[in-house]
Amino acid sequence: MTSTTHKDCPAAGPPTAGLPTVGPRGLARRQAILTAARHLFIAKGFEKTTLSDIIAEAGGSRATLYEHFGDKEGLFRAIMEEDNAMILSGLAPAETDDRVVTPEAGLTAFALHLVTALLNEETTGTVRILISEGDRIPDIAEAFFRIGPENAIRRLAEYLKRLSDSGVLRIEDPAAAAQAFLGMVTGNLLIRRLILPESAPAIPDLDRYVRQAVRLFLNGARAPDA
């Protein structure tokens, strides 16, 4: 892959990215760098944003940036990981206790959290970067699918498999079912948001949309005696 950061790096190159053990001030500096990078990537594009731009907005030093993230690609990966962790946290209510949380309640909670997060301006901004510059940063584009959609499908498939194994649902291929469900609740909404940035639906409309998708999904997967 062609590097996009050589003009910002010293001759020997930056040290390997990682998350060192730091205190509250170090974590605050790390978050400031991430926030600045996200803003600049969306405003200027990944290719045109330099490490110098990020440091100028976030403060701190190049050494701190290298210590936490390694390089510009490491920064973008960290942003994707942050988004993914936030999105997947919405699956937690469905995973806590299958005996208490019904499939409809669990899937609705997860789907509402997911679409709200995906329609967030910062998240869609990140997706636009991948669409416009994915051919120049193919490794990051591939990492996006591993960190984001594929991880979400895997987690949801595990939940659906447990429900199927317990007899609540009837699902032959949990991974395919998870992919289909995520497509139902996100596909049209995300595409519209990407093409028409001002078209985010109102929360009540979003709630109705998600609940209808959940009912359609469950009516096709529910066991006859459930």
Side-chain angles (χ1 to χ4, degrees), residues 23 31 67 74-75 92 130 140 146 165 193 199 201 204 208 211:
Q31 189 59 47
E67 181 183 15
L75 265 169
L130 290 166
I140 293 181
R146 290 195 303 272
D165 290 345
R193 180 77 160 122
S199 66
R208 284 193 294 271
R211 291 182 185 279

Side-chain angles (χ1 to χ4, degrees), residues 41-99:
F41 289 158
I42 293 173
K44 299 180 62 174
F46 180 85
E47 179 74 15
K48 294 182 179 179
T49 298
T50 67
L51 296 183
S52 297
D53 294 333
I54 296 169
I55 293 167
E57 179 162 328
S61 66
R62 191 174 297 255
T64 299
L65 189 152
Y66 287 155
E67 181 183 15
H68 285 286
F69 306 104
D71 55 17
K72 194 166 67 169
E73 294 178 2
L75 265 169
F76 198 84
R77 283 191 174 91
I79 289 171
M80 291 191 301
E81 289 169 357
E82 188 175 66
D83 289 347
N84 182 61
M86 180 265 294
I87 290 172
L88 289 182
S89 68
L91 190 53
E95 295 179 316
T96 52
D97 193 338
D98 297 340
R99 297 168 301 176

Side-chain angles (χ1 to χ4, degrees), residues 55-221:
I55 293 167
E57 179 162 328
S61 66
R62 191 174 297 255
T64 299
L65 189 152
Y66 287 155
E67 181 183 15
H68 285 286
F69 306 104
D71 55 17
K72 194 166 67 169
E73 294 178 2
L75 265 169
F76 198 84
R77 283 191 174 91
I79 289 171
M80 291 191 301
E81 289 169 357
E82 188 175 66
D83 289 347
N84 182 61
M86 180 265 294
I87 290 172
L88 289 182
S89 68
L91 190 53
E95 295 179 316
T96 52
D97 193 338
D98 297 340
R99 297 168 301 176
V100 176
V101 180
T102 65
E104 184 170 5
L107 289 173
T108 299
F110 173 62
L112 280 172
H113 179 87
L114 176 66
V115 295
T116 301
L118 285 177
L119 297 180
N120 178 278
E121 184 176 349
E122 292 182 342
T123 305
T124 53
T126 301
V127 175
R128 286 193 188 96
I129 293 171
L130 290 166
I131 293 172
S132 64
E133 304 193 36
D135 59 334
R136 287 192 291 270
I137 49 174
D139 288 354
I140 293 181
E142 290 175 6
F144 166 78
F145 283 99
R146 290 195 303 272
I147 295 171
E150 291 179 6
N151 201 8
I153 290 169
R154 178 184 59 78
R155 289 275 298 278
L156 184 56
E158 290 172 355
Y159 172 61
L160 294 176
K161 185 178 185 302
R162 291 203 309 274
L163 294 177
S164 183
D165 290 345
S166 67
V168 175
L169 300 182
R170 184 184 66 252
I171 299 177
E172 295 181 1
D173 188 338
Q179 186 169 358
F181 176 73
L182 293 179
M184 287 174 65
V185 298
T186 64
N188 182 62
L189 293 173
L190 181 57
I191 290 174
R192 184 173 180 84
R193 180 77 160 122
L194 290 170
I195 297 175
L196 300 171
E198 305 302 322
S199 66
I203 295 300
D205 295 333
L206 195 62
D207 185 84
R208 284 193 294 271
Y209 179 91
V210 165
R211 291 182 185 279
Q212 182 178 22
V214 170
R215 285 195 296 270
L216 287 171
F217 176 80
L218 289 176
N219 285 338

